[in-house]
Structure formats: C-alpha cells, structure tokens
Amino acid sequence: MAGWRQVIELAMTDEEIGRLTAIARSRTEAASRVERAQMLLAYHQKPSFFGVGQELGQHHQTVQRCVERAVAFGPLAALDDRPRPGKEPTITPEAKAWLVSVACDKAKEHGYPHELWTTRLLARHAREHGPAAGHECLANLVQGTVCKILGQEDIKPHKVRYYLERRDPDFEPKMAEVLCVYREVQVLKKAAAKSKKSRTPVAIISYDEKPGIQAIATTAPDLPPVPGTYATFSRDYEYKRQGTLSLLAGIDLLTGKVHALVRDRHRSREFIEFLKLLDAAYPAHTAIKLILDNHSAHISRETKTWLADRPAGRFEFTFTPKHGSWLNLVEGFFSKFARSVLRHIRVASKQELKERIMAGIDDVNRYPVIHTWSYKLAEAA
C-alpha cells in the first residue's frame, strides 16, 4: 500500500508573491508561466497537491513537480522549463558569423540579379559557397535555419528602411532664420493681444506649391449608400484623366487667411502672379515676408526683375534649407486640404476641379485657423 504524500513546505517572500500574482493575472505572459504561477499561489494558500489540481484542472503530479522545482530553484525560476541537453548544434559559430556577414551585403554584390537577399536565396548561396569558405556544416542549410540565425542577430536583409541624408551644409543656419521668423510671429501675436492699437504693418506668409492635383472623371455614376445593404459609396474602378493643376497657396501666419491661385503650371510667371495677388491684398506700407523653398521659380531672373521694380522692403524672402520643407507651416495646410477637400474627388473637367479647389479655399477662409509653430522655437535667437 502506497504511503501518503508528504506536504512540502513552500516559503515565499511578499515580493515573490506579488510578482507571481502579476504573472498569474497577465494576458501577455506565456500560458505555461501563468499556469505555474497560479499553481504556486494556490498551493501557498492550500498546501494540497490534489486540492490544487482539482481547483485548477491539473494533474496532482504536475502540481507536485512545480512545487518541488520552486523549493529547489526558487518560485520565479520554477515558472520556466529547465534547459535540456538536446542535440549538439551542427552549425558552428564561425559558420553563423559567415552567414550573417554575407547577409549584410547586397545580393547583387555576389553576382545575383536581386537587389536584396531573400531567405531562400541566402540559404541557396550558403549551400553552394559555404563549404568552399570552410564551413561544411552549411552544405545542407535550409531556409528555416537561415531565418533563425538571422533572427538571433536581429538582421533583416530583405527589408529597406529609408533615411534622408542632410545635403545642405548650411542647414542649421537656414533653419535658424526660419525659426526667427516664427519667433517674430509669436512676438507680434502677443503684442497684438496686449494692445488695442493696430498691429505692426507686417504680413508674414508661409508659401508653397502643391503641383500635380489630378482632375479625374468617373466613367459611371457613383452609387450612394443604402441603409442595411451598402454601407459606403460604390464607384467604378475605371476612370478618365483630365489633366493636372497646381495650387499656389500662402497662409498669413498672423490672421490665418489663405491666399491661393490655381493654375496649370507653377513657373516663374505663375509665382509672380501670386506675388501680385499679395501686393494687391495688403496696404502699400505693409512689409510682406515670405517663408518658401528654393524652387527655381522663386529665384529666377524673371522673378528678381519683377521684385526689383517694387518699393524697397515690400517683399522679403526667407528660404527653408534643402530637404527642410517640414519647416514650412503651409505643408500642414496642404496635408489637411488633401485629406478633406481633395480626398476621393471626381470632376468632369479641369475647370470644375479649379472651381472646387477655390471653393474649398473660400470655405477655409470663412473659419480661418491661425497656425502656430512651436518646435525648437525656444532655440531661435
């Protein structure tokens, strides 16, 4: 007759109980760790293998082994499986290092037409060239093993992550100039809020172009939603291109008003037309300061000739650095305009597109938003 199982005393500190409780309630921990944490906590309250097993739906021997591991190695260490000897690895560390070094090259550098590696191609390359490099263990390498080796080193040679190299050597000084203009906007806003007098005769415009706005026509009428049947508008996949337009727009950073033109192109003559629009919109004694990029139309001989005929101090340009369009506040307006007015837009002609764009600008100006720049503004002199 088998004897009664003796109760094993399981001592745990308050800290260990707290950590076990958190693991037992976790929704992200491995299921095995959660189950073992529940066993140890239940056994600590009621030291009975059979009782805990019946309560948690586990065999009593499973509970006993878990408790014995906790006594021998500690409650937290008992949550994980003990390491097993297993089969000796056949791929040497040197072979893994060689494989990772090859993965860090481009596939085209090894004579393949591919730009980047695929795990299947890398496994084939290792089988064909690994033994010649002194790694016989790679002769039968399979794709799954390649994935494991690369995963251990956190290498993903099949993916590309883009970055932008800073190509403007004067990026910092040019950014500082733009930030100084935004700082001036902030100062003028505070002065206008404190004083009831008319503000300083200065207009600060954030300007840019949005080219390539497509005039796309439908080939069949859109079908409206039907409650309980079709939740969305339905549109034929086919469409007809009517051409493109360019939106030239500038935001007055002090009032929020948007000045805009819609034209077929955005050359020097269109830019000068926009400058004439600003010239007519503000009194003659107002200094108009523009924040804009280095597009050729902004610095062309035609533009400089027109500006030379204007009164001194009427127009002043502050250029953003190369690849610094994010410094221009009008980019945020273009993004919002594209996501609201231009989203899914379909028109019968370029003229209709132009009219709807200008109607969208008028709608924005009915409820103007005064844009504010804050990033790194404290660093501006």
Side-chain angles (χ1 to χ4, degrees):
M1 181 177 179
W4 292 98
R5 288 181 174 82
Q6 296 182 353
V7 174
I8 300 176
E9 182 179 354
L10 178 60
M12 295 190 294
T13 64
D14 293 339
E15 180 182 358
E16 291 172 335
I17 293 176
R19 294 186 62 181
L20 289 174
T21 302
I23 295 173
R25 296 174 179 174
S26 175
R27 293 180 178 271
T28 58
E29 288 279 355
S32 59
R33 288 173 56 84
V34 173
E35 291 175 353
R36 290 167 184 173
Q38 292 173 347
M39 290 181 202
L40 295 179
L41 291 172
Y43 185 85
H44 184 70
Q45 295 292 330
K46 179 183 178 182
S48 169
F49 301 135
F50 286 98
V52 172
Q54 291 179 352
E55 178 182 347
L56 300 180
Q58 300 286 348
H59 195 276
H60 64 86
Q61 292 181 350
T62 303
V63 178
Q64 182 177 353
R65 286 194 296 269
C66 182
V67 173
E68 289 174 349
R69 284 200 304 271
V71 173
F73 305 105
L76 297 177
L79 302 182
D80 300 314
D81 293 329
R82 302 300 299 166
R84 296 176 173 84
K87 182 182 178 182
E88 288 292 332
T90 57
I91 300 179
T92 63
E94 292 78 11
K96 293 181 180 179
W98 178 85
L99 181 66
V100 170
S101 67
V102 172
C104 291
D105 298 332
K106 286 189 174 181
K108 68 177 184 178
E109 296 173 3
H110 291 267
Y112 296 98
H114 311 65
E115 178 72 13
L116 302 177
W117 293 108
T118 64
T119 51
R120 191 182 302 277
L121 178 63
L122 188 57
R124 191 182 80 190
H125 178 83
R127 289 195 300 269
E128 294 175 355
H129 298 87
H135 307 294
E136 291 290 342
C137 55
L138 298 179
N140 298 314
L141 186 67
V142 296
Q143 180 186 7
T145 306
V146 171
C147 295
K148 292 179 181 178
I149 295 174
L150 297 181
Q152 292 170 357
E153 299 296 333
D154 197 20
I155 298 293
K156 300 175 181 178
H158 59 289
K159 291 188 176 182
V160 174
R161 181 177 181 180
Y162 288 89
Y163 76 99
L164 182 61
E165 183 177 350
R166 185 171 293 183
R167 294 181 172 86
D168 193 336
D170 299 323
F171 189 95
E172 296 293 340
K174 291 180 180 179
M175 180 177 70
E177 291 179 7
V178 176
L179 294 181
C180 284
V181 177
Y182 289 144
R183 187 68 173 272
E184 181 181 357
V185 172
Q186 187 181 62
V187 172
L188 292 175
K189 287 179 180 177
K190 291 181 179 179
K194 292 181 180 179
S195 175
K196 296 182 179 179
K197 298 180 181 179
S198 59
R199 63 181 179 84
T200 307
V202 175
I204 300 178
I205 310 296
S206 175
Y207 168 83
D208 202 1
E209 300 95 359
K210 183 176 178 59
I213 303 176
Q214 295 193 66
I216 299 178
T218 57
T219 57
D222 288 347
L223 303 179
V226 177
T229 306
Y230 302 107
T232 65
F233 280 93
S234 298
R235 174 172 289 171
D236 194 306
Y237 284 103
E238 293 187 1
Y239 56 87
K240 183 178 180 181
R241 297 182 186 273
Q242 306 283 1
T244 61
L245 293 174
S246 293
L247 170 61
L248 294 75
I251 302 177
D252 189 322
L253 299 182
L254 296 174
T255 64
K257 178 178 174 60
V258 179
H259 304 275
L261 289 176
V262 180
R263 296 293 182 264
D264 288 347
R265 301 172 67 180
H266 56 288
R267 300 162 296 179
S268 297
R269 66 186 66 180
E270 285 82 18
F271 179 57
I272 292 174
E273 187 178 354
F274 181 83
L275 294 179
K276 291 179 179 179
L277 176 68
L278 294 180
D279 197 23
Y282 294 96
H285 64 281
T286 300
I288 303 175
K289 299 183 179 181
L290 281 84
I291 301 173
L292 66 173
D293 60 22
N294 292 274
H295 188 271
S296 59
H298 306 162
I299 55 177
S300 67
R301 182 174 58 184
E302 187 177 355
T303 299
K304 291 179 180 179
T305 301
W306 185 87
L307 290 173
D309 294 335
R310 307 308 304 154
R314 177 60 167 171
F315 286 95
E316 179 182 334
F317 291 176
T318 300
F319 295 101
T320 59
K322 189 174 183 179
H323 295 316
S325 60
W326 56 273
L327 284 167
N328 206 342
L329 265 173
V330 73
E331 296 292 347
F333 164 75
F334 282 149
S335 175
K336 184 177 180 179
F337 196 77
R339 287 180 283 112
S340 55
V341 177
L342 302 179
R343 182 168 176 261
H344 298 311
I345 193 168
R346 291 292 186 268
V347 293
S349 64
K350 289 174 63 175
Q351 182 61 29
E352 182 187 345
L353 177 61
K354 177 181 178 180
E355 293 173 356
R356 291 178 65 177
I357 291 175
M358 292 307 299
I361 297 295
D362 293 339
D363 184 70
V364 171
N365 286 332
R366 274 195 289 271
Y367 307 96
V369 176
I370 299 179
H371 295 69
T372 302
W373 183 275
S374 60
Y375 178 68
K376 288 192 175 183
L377 195 59
E379 301 178 13

